[in-house]
Amino acid sequence: MEAPLLVIVDAANVVGSVPDGWWRDRSGAAERLRDRLVAYAEGGLPGREGPVEVVLVVEGAARGVASVPGVRVESASGSGDDRMVELVAEFADRERLVVTADRELRRRVAELGAEVAGPRTVRNV
């Protein structure tokens, strides 16, 4: 059986895409995003049936956010962008989708064969 779509979410970029006060509690904002992503693990993304494997990459003040069933949280020891590129390379044998609006990150992961989508893909649960 083929592995499900691997969805790698840029927490800082997706959280930062809406000016809702996230900067006052970066960890809490990442946890709220993580909790919204659980629905995608089973149900899939718009235009993509589930289940999908969801990995949320956090960095900085959001490090330490725990994984929950359906969403694995990766705390980047350095740059979150570098960790996402590493994950894309590590799972080169799978279909991968990186959710971010960061142009440089989009370029880097596309060069490795990953698809890219913007934050709205996972903002509307």
Side-chain angles (χ1 to χ4, degrees):
M1 184 172 175
E2 194 173 306
L5 172 67
L6 177 62
V7 179
I8 303 167
V9 180
D10 181 351
N13 190 268
V14 173
V15 164
S17 69
V18 176
D20 61 1
W22 60 264
W23 52 88
R24 290 189 292 271
D25 180 11
R26 293 170 195 261
S27 184
E31 288 173 344
R32 288 187 296 278
L33 173 59
R34 175 204 60 200
D35 294 347
R36 286 196 311 273
L37 293 172
V38 171
Y40 293 117
E42 289 292 321
L45 296 168
R48 306 256 189 161
E49 290 185 18
V52 300
E53 182 180 349
V54 180
V55 178
L56 179 66
V57 177
V58 297
E59 62 188 354
R63 276 190 203 109
V65 169
S67 297
V68 296
V71 179
R72 182 174 52 140
V73 178
E74 288 270 335
S75 291
S77 58
S79 160
D81 289 5
D82 289 347
R83 182 63 187 130
M84 285 178 271
V85 170
E86 290 169 1
L87 287 166
V88 166
E90 183 179 332
F91 293 98
D93 59 336
R94 293 181 59 183
E95 185 179 11
R96 298 141 301 159
L97 174 69
V98 177
V99 179
T100 185
D102 182 302
R103 287 184 189 161
E104 177 62 13
L105 177 58
R106 290 169 75 98
R107 182 194 64 76
R108 290 173 68 192
V109 298
E111 285 178 353
L112 295 172
E115 293 179 63
V116 293
R120 287 185 186 161
T121 305
V122 296
R123 294 283 296 169
N124 302 320
V125 176

